[in-house]
């Protein structure tokens, strides 16, 4: 669903609606859900340990760092731009935190705040050069990719690697589990009930206002599906160590930012700019400010994600934020269904996309295959996602010309 | 005494460097009237619309709104008076749905959150008022036909309850059926007592929907005709500036084709 267009339950037949949306290029999350299902099926059939609670639980923590960064990338993609610096910024934030906390003895909370604020400031710089000066975002953030990586190496200095406090707050971000089974089930119940309540109240207001509303059956099916998925996840997680704190934070961030994108004027402005800058400008939207802000969101989320990645390995090193991280975050957003052309996407695509990427990584590692295979599979999935993106865009245009 | 015209232009002139785009233009539009503004390429039609819309004010001349002289120097001043402008291109965000486009930049809120229900209710109400049919107000406008998109763009301008609507080539690039949709809407605007200034290159459209035809030629008034009593040829010749020669005959052909 694009444009935060709320419920679209105003068609008489569900199948008719599905056919229409297929024809008009609105595939939504369908492709990524299908590919996720097939990846899981394939790996599960190759090695039963893939679907073991331990592996799935680890997977649910492994996705968080990359996923948080990918959420920021979604914001930038939505306005039709790209941010190539997120990997370097995440590494820099981790390094700054580690050096401040471990080497300079600054308390963890202020050190975290400094690292995250640095991320926001970096985004403001990128946004300024892009939106105000008019340098293409590609170039600005490419400069950022090099520059911030250089700054990270400088900050780390000769030490190269800084180990974090194993018992510290940041380390706990990815090492803490809520062992009490009630927590995971409670969160699942809360989420499902919350979703039901919101849908139900929305439908009631719609009926009262005399506008098309989702039917009771539709709400029940969706609530049921959400409940099934969340309780199944809770069940599996509880069979290992319970709900990981990192996953809880990730989901909370997703719910919050989804609200921002779909339910606030700010979110509407982001979509509008991605779908037609000129129209947005004529409607009096502050295009420059919104553009700067999405780069700030992106860099801030990169910093936050960087802290989670550092937490996972309890260290910041010269390798932080390097490797495939940048490619994985952008690929996650795109695989999850956010368009590279701007204007179409959701924060949930970060979750789904990163699940696909990490599932492949996890499965390949489990089977003991070389990393080379992992890259090839991920590359293939990304290609498919981009092709679907391009085709659905074309289908939509063609549909409009009948 | 009859009511003053909704909008009256007196002696409007506009110059771009060496180009005298408009010279001493007079024009009147009354409520419940559709005035077609026609003229060859570069005659100054769009320039005149931009003056009324406050996008690019005139150098000289008086704009009289509802009997009072006004100075329109910015788009929102025109909007505040009740003048809505629809440009042919770039008016919509393809990815937003009909409701999102209609309310872009003036969203309705409820406890700090977009009030989708209220916006949808008002959208449906507006579409109903003007008997506009849409497959759904919740599909991205990219998937609508050209005529429907143009209808959405016009509807967007109607949200502010304007009294005068300026349409710059609303049917260019539309097929026959889609043009008919848009012209139907123009008809309904008139029925509801709005004034409409319609720029078109298509004589058929103009004849079908306009009450009056104002002709611009090389930036000057070149006739104001009652549609019912004026022949095609008369209009064409005042557009092309020829009486009966090869240019006018060729002109006639071109204009009828459009
Ligand atoms: N911003 C501008 N700067 C310079 N010259 C301009 C500008 N806008 C319009 N003109 C000139 O003013 C004249 C009138 O242009 P205008 O766009 O109003 O014509 P038009 O009647 O709308 O033509 P068309 O049918 O092609 O749309 C033209 O000679 C054009 O080149
Ligand atoms: Mg023009």
């Amino acid at each position: 669903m694009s444009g935060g267009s709320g419920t679209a339950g105003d068609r008489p037949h569900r199948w008719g609606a599905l056919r229409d949306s297929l024809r008009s290029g609105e595939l939504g999350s369908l492709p990524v859900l299908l590919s996720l299902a097939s990846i899981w099926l394939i790996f599960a059939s190759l090695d039963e340990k893939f679907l073991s609670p331990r592996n799935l639980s680890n997977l649910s923590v492994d996705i968080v760092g990359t996923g948080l960064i990918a959420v920021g990338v979604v914001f930038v993609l939505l306005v039709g731009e790209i941010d190539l610096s997120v990997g370097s910024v995440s590494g820099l934030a981790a390094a700054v935190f580690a050096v401040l906390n471990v080497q300079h003895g600054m308390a963890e909370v202020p050190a975290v705040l400094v690292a995250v604020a640095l991320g926001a400031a970096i985004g403001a710089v990128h946004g300024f050069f892009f939106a105000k000066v008019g340098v293409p975002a590609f170039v600005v953030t490419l400069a950022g990719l090099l520059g911030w990586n250089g700054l990270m190496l400088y900050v780390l200095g000769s030490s190269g690697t800084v180990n974090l406090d194993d018992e510290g707050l940041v380390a706990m971000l990815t090492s803490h589990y809520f062992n009490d089974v009630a927590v995971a089930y409670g969160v699942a119940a809360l989420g499902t009930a919350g979703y039901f309540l919101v849908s139900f109240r929305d439908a009631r207001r719609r009926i009262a206002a005399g506008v098309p509303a989702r039917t009771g059956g539709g709400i029940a099916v969706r609530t049921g599906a959400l409940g099934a998925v969340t309780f199944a996840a809770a069940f599996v997680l509880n069979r290992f160590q319970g709900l990981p704190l990192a996953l809880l934070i990730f989901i909370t961030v997703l719910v919050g930012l989804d609200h921002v994108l779909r339910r606030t004027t700010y979110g509407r402005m982001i979509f509008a700019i991605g779908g037609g800058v000129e129209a947005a400008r004529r409607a009096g939207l502050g295009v420059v400010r919104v553009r700067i802000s999405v780069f700030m969101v992106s860099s801030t989320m990169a910093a936050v994600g960087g802290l989670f990645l550092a937490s996972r390995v309890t260290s910041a090193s010269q390798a932080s934020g390097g490797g495939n991280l940048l490619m994985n975050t952008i690929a996650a957003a795109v695989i999850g269904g956010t368009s590279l052309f701007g204007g179409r996407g959701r924060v949930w695509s970060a979750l789904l996309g990163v699940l696909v990427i990490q599932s492949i990584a996890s499965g390949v590692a489990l089977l003991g295959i070389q990393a080379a295979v992992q890259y090839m599979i991920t590359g293939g999935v990304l290609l498919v996602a981009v092709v679907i993106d391009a085709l659905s865009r074309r289908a939509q245009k063609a549909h409009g010309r009948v | 005494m009859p009511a003053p015209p909704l909008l009256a232009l007196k002696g409007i002139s506009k110059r771009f460097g060496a180009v005298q785009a408009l010279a001493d233009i007079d024009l009147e539009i009354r409520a419940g009237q559709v005035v077609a503004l026609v003229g060859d390429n570069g005659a100054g039609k769009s320039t005149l619309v931009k003056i009324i819309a406050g996008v690019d004010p005139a150098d000289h001349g008086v704009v009289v709104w509802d009997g009072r002289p006004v100075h329109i120097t910015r788009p929102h001043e025109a909007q505040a008076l009740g003048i809505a402008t629809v440009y042919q291109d770039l008016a919509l965000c393809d990815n937003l749905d009909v409701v999102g486009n209609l309310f872009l930049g003036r969203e309705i809120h409820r406890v700090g959150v977009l009030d989708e229900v209220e916006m949808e209710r008002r959208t449906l109400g507006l579409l109903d008022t003007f008997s506009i049919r849409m497959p759904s107000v919740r599909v991205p406008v990219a998937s609508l036909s050209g005529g429907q998109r143009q209808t959405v763009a016009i509807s967007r301008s109607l949200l502010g309850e304007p009294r005068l609507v300026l349409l710059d080539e609303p049917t260019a690039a539309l097929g026959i059926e889609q043009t008919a949709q848009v012209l139907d809407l123009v008809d309904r605007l008139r029925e509801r007592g709005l004034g409409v200034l319609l720029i078109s290159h298509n004589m058929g459209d103009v004849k079908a929907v306009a009450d009056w035809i104002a002709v611009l030629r090389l930036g000057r008034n070149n006739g104001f005709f009652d549609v019912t009593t004026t022949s095609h040829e008369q209009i064409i010749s005042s557009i092309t500036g020829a009486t009966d020669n090869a240019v006018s005959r060729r002109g006639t052909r071109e204009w009828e084709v459009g």
Side-chain angles (χ1 to χ4, degrees), chain A residues 296-342:
Chain A
M296 291 179 70
V297 171
S298 170
S299 292
T300 307
M301 292 309 294
V304 173
L307 293 176
F308 276 81
L309 290 170
S311 161
R312 192 73 173 133
V313 292
T314 55
S315 69
S317 73
Q318 292 179 339
S320 293
N324 293 314
L325 181 62
L326 168 66
M327 285 308 144
N328 279 349
T329 53
I330 296 176
V334 175
I335 290 173
T338 292
S339 174
L340 277 171
F341 303 105

Short mmCIF file of all heavy atoms in Angstrom, two decimals, chain A residues 296-342:
data_model
loop_
_atom_site.label_atom_id
_atom_site.label_comp_id
_atom_site.label_asym_id
_atom_site.label_seq_id
_atom_site.Cartn_x
_atom_site.Cartn_y
_atom_site.Cartn_z
N MET A 296 18.56 12.99 8.02
CA MET A 296 18.83 12.93 9.46
C MET A 296 18.29 11.64 10.05
O MET A 296 18.93 11.00 10.88
CB MET A 296 18.23 14.15 10.16
CG MET A 296 18.96 15.44 9.80
SD MET A 296 18.25 16.89 10.58
CE MET A 296 18.71 16.62 12.28
N VAL A 297 17.09 11.26 9.63
CA VAL A 297 16.53 9.99 10.11
C VAL A 297 17.46 8.85 9.72
O VAL A 297 17.79 7.98 10.54
CB VAL A 297 15.12 9.75 9.52
CG1 VAL A 297 14.64 8.34 9.84
CG2 VAL A 297 14.14 10.78 10.04
N SER A 298 17.89 8.87 8.48
CA SER A 298 18.73 7.79 7.98
C SER A 298 20.03 7.68 8.78
O SER A 298 20.41 6.60 9.24
CB SER A 298 19.02 8.05 6.50
OG SER A 298 20.00 7.18 6.03
N SER A 299 20.72 8.79 8.98
CA SER A 299 21.99 8.74 9.70
C SER A 299 21.79 8.42 11.18
O SER A 299 22.61 7.74 11.79
CB SER A 299 22.74 10.07 9.57
OG SER A 299 23.16 10.26 8.25
N THR A 300 20.69 8.93 11.74
CA THR A 300 20.41 8.62 13.15
C THR A 300 20.17 7.13 13.32
O THR A 300 20.72 6.49 14.23
CB THR A 300 19.18 9.40 13.64
OG1 THR A 300 19.37 10.78 13.35
CG2 THR A 300 18.97 9.20 15.13
N MET A 301 19.36 6.57 12.44
CA MET A 301 19.10 5.13 12.53
C MET A 301 20.38 4.34 12.26
O MET A 301 20.59 3.27 12.84
CB MET A 301 18.01 4.72 11.54
CG MET A 301 16.63 5.25 11.86
SD MET A 301 16.12 4.95 13.55
CE MET A 301 16.00 3.17 13.55
N ALA A 302 21.24 4.87 11.38
CA ALA A 302 22.51 4.20 11.13
C ALA A 302 23.34 4.16 12.41
O ALA A 302 23.93 3.13 12.75
CB ALA A 302 23.28 4.91 10.01
N ALA A 303 23.35 5.27 13.14
CA ALA A 303 24.11 5.32 14.39
C ALA A 303 23.54 4.32 15.40
O ALA A 303 24.28 3.56 16.04
CB ALA A 303 24.08 6.73 14.95
N VAL A 304 22.21 4.32 15.52
CA VAL A 304 21.57 3.40 16.47
C VAL A 304 21.88 1.95 16.07
O VAL A 304 22.27 1.12 16.90
CB VAL A 304 20.05 3.64 16.51
CG1 VAL A 304 19.36 2.59 17.36
CG2 VAL A 304 19.75 5.04 17.03
N GLY A 305 21.71 1.66 14.79
CA GLY A 305 22.00 0.31 14.31
C GLY A 305 23.45 -0.06 14.55
O GLY A 305 23.76 -1.21 14.91
N GLY A 306 24.34 0.91 14.36
CA GLY A 306 25.76 0.66 14.60
C GLY A 306 26.03 0.24 16.03
O GLY A 306 26.86 -0.64 16.29
N LEU A 307 25.31 0.86 16.98
CA LEU A 307 25.48 0.48 18.39
C LEU A 307 25.01 -0.95 18.62
O LEU A 307 25.63 -1.71 19.38
CB LEU A 307 24.72 1.45 19.29
CG LEU A 307 25.27 2.89 19.30
CD1 LEU A 307 24.39 3.80 20.15
CD2 LEU A 307 26.70 2.91 19.82
N PHE A 308 23.93 -1.33 17.97
CA PHE A 308 23.44 -2.70 18.11
C PHE A 308 24.42 -3.70 17.50
O PHE A 308 24.65 -4.78 18.06
CB PHE A 308 22.05 -2.86 17.47
CG PHE A 308 20.94 -2.46 18.37
CD1 PHE A 308 20.58 -1.13 18.52
CD2 PHE A 308 20.24 -3.43 19.10
CE1 PHE A 308 19.56 -0.76 19.38
CE2 PHE A 308 19.21 -3.06 19.96
CZ PHE A 308 18.87 -1.72 20.10
N LEU A 309 25.00 -3.33 16.35
CA LEU A 309 25.97 -4.23 15.72
C LEU A 309 27.20 -4.38 16.61
O LEU A 309 27.75 -5.48 16.78
CB LEU A 309 26.36 -3.70 14.34
CG LEU A 309 25.26 -3.79 13.28
CD1 LEU A 309 25.65 -3.03 12.02
CD2 LEU A 309 24.95 -5.25 12.95
N ALA A 310 27.63 -3.27 17.20
CA ALA A 310 28.78 -3.33 18.12
C ALA A 310 28.43 -4.16 19.34
O ALA A 310 29.25 -4.95 19.83
CB ALA A 310 29.18 -1.92 18.53
N SER A 311 27.19 -3.99 19.81
CA SER A 311 26.74 -4.74 20.97
C SER A 311 26.80 -6.24 20.69
O SER A 311 27.19 -7.04 21.55
CB SER A 311 25.31 -4.31 21.30
OG SER A 311 24.67 -5.27 22.11
N ARG A 312 26.45 -6.63 19.49
CA ARG A 312 26.39 -8.06 19.13
C ARG A 312 27.77 -8.69 19.21
O ARG A 312 27.90 -9.86 19.55
CB ARG A 312 25.84 -8.18 17.70
CG ARG A 312 25.44 -9.59 17.30
CD ARG A 312 24.18 -10.03 17.97
NE ARG A 312 23.70 -11.30 17.46
CZ ARG A 312 23.31 -12.31 18.24
NH1 ARG A 312 23.38 -12.20 19.55
NH2 ARG A 312 22.86 -13.42 17.71
N VAL A 313 28.81 -7.92 18.88
CA VAL A 313 30.17 -8.49 18.94
C VAL A 313 30.95 -7.91 20.11
O VAL A 313 32.16 -8.13 20.22
CB VAL A 313 30.93 -8.23 17.61
CG1 VAL A 313 30.31 -9.04 16.48
CG2 VAL A 313 30.94 -6.75 17.25
N THR A 314 30.26 -7.14 20.96
CA THR A 314 30.84 -6.44 22.12
C THR A 314 32.18 -5.79 21.80
O THR A 314 33.10 -5.80 22.62
CB THR A 314 31.00 -7.37 23.36
OG1 THR A 314 31.76 -8.51 22.99
CG2 THR A 314 29.68 -7.73 23.95
N SER A 315 32.25 -5.17 20.63
CA SER A 315 33.45 -4.40 20.33
C SER A 315 33.19 -3.47 19.16
O SER A 315 32.25 -3.67 18.39
CB SER A 315 34.62 -5.33 19.98
OG SER A 315 34.37 -5.95 18.74
N ALA A 316 34.00 -2.45 19.08
CA ALA A 316 34.03 -1.61 17.89
C ALA A 316 35.42 -1.75 17.31
O ALA A 316 36.40 -1.70 18.05
CB ALA A 316 33.73 -0.16 18.24
N SER A 317 35.47 -1.95 15.98
CA SER A 317 36.79 -2.15 15.40
C SER A 317 36.85 -1.45 14.05
O SER A 317 35.87 -0.87 13.59
CB SER A 317 37.06 -3.64 15.21
OG SER A 317 36.28 -4.12 14.14
N GLN A 318 38.03 -1.55 13.44
CA GLN A 318 38.19 -0.92 12.13
C GLN A 318 37.26 -1.53 11.09
O GLN A 318 37.00 -0.94 10.07
CB GLN A 318 39.65 -1.05 11.68
CG GLN A 318 40.56 -0.20 12.56
CD GLN A 318 42.02 -0.32 12.17
OE1 GLN A 318 42.42 -1.29 11.53
NE2 GLN A 318 42.81 0.66 12.60
N ALA A 319 36.78 -2.74 11.40
CA ALA A 319 35.88 -3.39 10.45
C ALA A 319 34.42 -2.97 10.65
O ALA A 319 33.57 -3.29 9.83
CB ALA A 319 35.99 -4.91 10.58
N SER A 320 34.15 -2.23 11.74
CA SER A 320 32.76 -1.86 12.03
C SER A 320 32.16 -1.07 10.88
O SER A 320 32.78 -0.14 10.36
CB SER A 320 32.69 -1.01 13.30
OG SER A 320 33.06 -1.78 14.42
N GLY A 321 30.96 -1.42 10.52
CA GLY A 321 30.26 -0.68 9.47
C GLY A 321 30.77 -0.97 8.07
O GLY A 321 30.33 -0.38 7.10
N GLY A 322 31.73 -1.89 7.97
CA GLY A 322 32.28 -2.19 6.65
C GLY A 322 31.65 -3.44 6.06
O GLY A 322 30.54 -3.82 6.41
N GLY A 323 32.42 -4.08 5.21
CA GLY A 323 31.95 -5.33 4.60
C GLY A 323 30.70 -5.10 3.78
O GLY A 323 30.58 -4.11 3.06
N ASN A 324 29.72 -6.01 3.94
CA ASN A 324 28.51 -5.92 3.13
C ASN A 324 27.41 -5.09 3.77
O ASN A 324 26.30 -5.07 3.26
CB ASN A 324 27.95 -7.32 2.91
CG ASN A 324 28.87 -8.13 2.06
OD1 ASN A 324 29.36 -7.66 1.05
ND2 ASN A 324 29.14 -9.36 2.49
N LEU A 325 27.72 -4.45 4.90
CA LEU A 325 26.64 -3.81 5.66
C LEU A 325 25.83 -2.84 4.80
O LEU A 325 24.60 -2.92 4.77
CB LEU A 325 27.22 -3.10 6.88
CG LEU A 325 26.17 -2.42 7.75
CD1 LEU A 325 25.19 -3.44 8.30
CD2 LEU A 325 26.82 -1.64 8.89
N LEU A 326 26.50 -1.94 4.11
CA LEU A 326 25.78 -0.94 3.31
C LEU A 326 24.88 -1.62 2.29
O LEU A 326 23.68 -1.32 2.19
CB LEU A 326 26.78 -0.02 2.60
CG LEU A 326 26.17 0.86 1.51
CD1 LEU A 326 25.22 1.87 2.11
CD2 LEU A 326 27.26 1.56 0.71
N MET A 327 25.46 -2.59 1.56
CA MET A 327 24.68 -3.26 0.53
C MET A 327 23.51 -4.01 1.15
O MET A 327 22.40 -4.01 0.62
CB MET A 327 25.57 -4.25 -0.24
CG MET A 327 26.51 -3.56 -1.20
SD MET A 327 25.56 -2.45 -2.27
CE MET A 327 26.70 -1.12 -2.46
N ASN A 328 23.76 -4.64 2.30
CA ASN A 328 22.68 -5.39 2.95
C ASN A 328 21.53 -4.49 3.37
O ASN A 328 20.36 -4.87 3.26
CB ASN A 328 23.22 -6.15 4.16
CG ASN A 328 23.89 -7.45 3.74
OD1 ASN A 328 23.77 -7.87 2.59
ND2 ASN A 328 24.60 -8.07 4.66
N THR A 329 21.85 -3.30 3.88
CA THR A 329 20.76 -2.44 4.36
C THR A 329 19.91 -1.95 3.19
O THR A 329 18.68 -1.96 3.26
CB THR A 329 21.30 -1.22 5.12
OG1 THR A 329 22.25 -0.54 4.30
CG2 THR A 329 21.94 -1.63 6.41
N ILE A 330 20.56 -1.53 2.12
CA ILE A 330 19.79 -1.05 0.97
C ILE A 330 19.02 -2.22 0.34
O ILE A 330 17.84 -2.10 0.01
CB ILE A 330 20.70 -0.36 -0.06
CG1 ILE A 330 21.31 0.90 0.58
CG2 ILE A 330 19.93 0.02 -1.31
CD1 ILE A 330 22.31 1.62 -0.28
N ALA A 331 19.71 -3.36 0.23
CA ALA A 331 19.05 -4.54 -0.33
C ALA A 331 17.85 -4.93 0.52
O ALA A 331 16.79 -5.28 -0.01
CB ALA A 331 20.03 -5.70 -0.43
N ALA A 332 17.99 -4.84 1.84
CA ALA A 332 16.88 -5.22 2.73
C ALA A 332 15.67 -4.35 2.45
O ALA A 332 14.55 -4.86 2.29
CB ALA A 332 17.30 -5.09 4.18
N ALA A 333 15.89 -3.05 2.36
CA ALA A 333 14.76 -2.14 2.12
C ALA A 333 14.09 -2.48 0.80
O ALA A 333 12.86 -2.53 0.70
CB ALA A 333 15.25 -0.70 2.13
N VAL A 334 14.90 -2.73 -0.22
CA VAL A 334 14.34 -2.96 -1.56
C VAL A 334 13.68 -4.33 -1.65
O VAL A 334 12.57 -4.48 -2.17
CB VAL A 334 15.43 -2.81 -2.63
CG1 VAL A 334 14.89 -3.17 -4.01
CG2 VAL A 334 15.95 -1.38 -2.64
N ILE A 335 14.36 -5.35 -1.10
CA ILE A 335 13.77 -6.69 -1.11
C ILE A 335 12.45 -6.67 -0.35
O ILE A 335 11.48 -7.31 -0.73
CB ILE A 335 14.75 -7.72 -0.48
CG1 ILE A 335 15.93 -7.94 -1.41
CG2 ILE A 335 14.04 -9.03 -0.19
CD1 ILE A 335 17.03 -8.80 -0.82
N GLY A 336 12.40 -5.89 0.71
CA GLY A 336 11.18 -5.81 1.51
C GLY A 336 10.04 -5.11 0.80
O GLY A 336 8.92 -5.09 1.30
N GLY A 337 10.32 -4.48 -0.35
CA GLY A 337 9.23 -3.90 -1.12
C GLY A 337 9.23 -2.38 -1.19
O GLY A 337 8.26 -1.78 -1.65
N THR A 338 10.29 -1.74 -0.72
CA THR A 338 10.37 -0.28 -0.87
C THR A 338 10.99 0.04 -2.22
O THR A 338 12.02 -0.52 -2.59
CB THR A 338 11.19 0.34 0.27
OG1 THR A 338 10.46 0.18 1.49
CG2 THR A 338 11.43 1.82 0.03
N SER A 339 10.33 0.92 -2.96
CA SER A 339 10.75 1.19 -4.33
C SER A 339 12.00 2.05 -4.38
O SER A 339 12.17 2.99 -3.61
CB SER A 339 9.62 1.88 -5.09
OG SER A 339 10.07 2.27 -6.37
N LEU A 340 12.87 1.71 -5.33
CA LEU A 340 14.06 2.53 -5.57
C LEU A 340 13.69 3.83 -6.28
O LEU A 340 14.49 4.75 -6.34
CB LEU A 340 15.05 1.77 -6.45
CG LEU A 340 15.97 0.79 -5.76
CD1 LEU A 340 16.72 -0.04 -6.79
CD2 LEU A 340 16.96 1.53 -4.89
N PHE A 341 12.48 3.88 -6.83
CA PHE A 341 12.07 5.06 -7.59
C PHE A 341 11.39 6.11 -6.72
O PHE A 341 10.97 7.13 -7.21
CB PHE A 341 11.12 4.64 -8.72
CG PHE A 341 11.70 3.63 -9.65
CD1 PHE A 341 11.30 2.30 -9.59
CD2 PHE A 341 12.67 3.99 -10.57
CE1 PHE A 341 11.84 1.36 -10.44
CE2 PHE A 341 13.21 3.04 -11.43
CZ PHE A 341 12.80 1.72 -11.36
N GLY A 342 11.26 5.80 -5.45
CA GLY A 342 10.66 6.78 -4.55
C GLY A 342 9.15 6.67 -4.45
O GLY A 342 8.48 6.19 -5.36
#
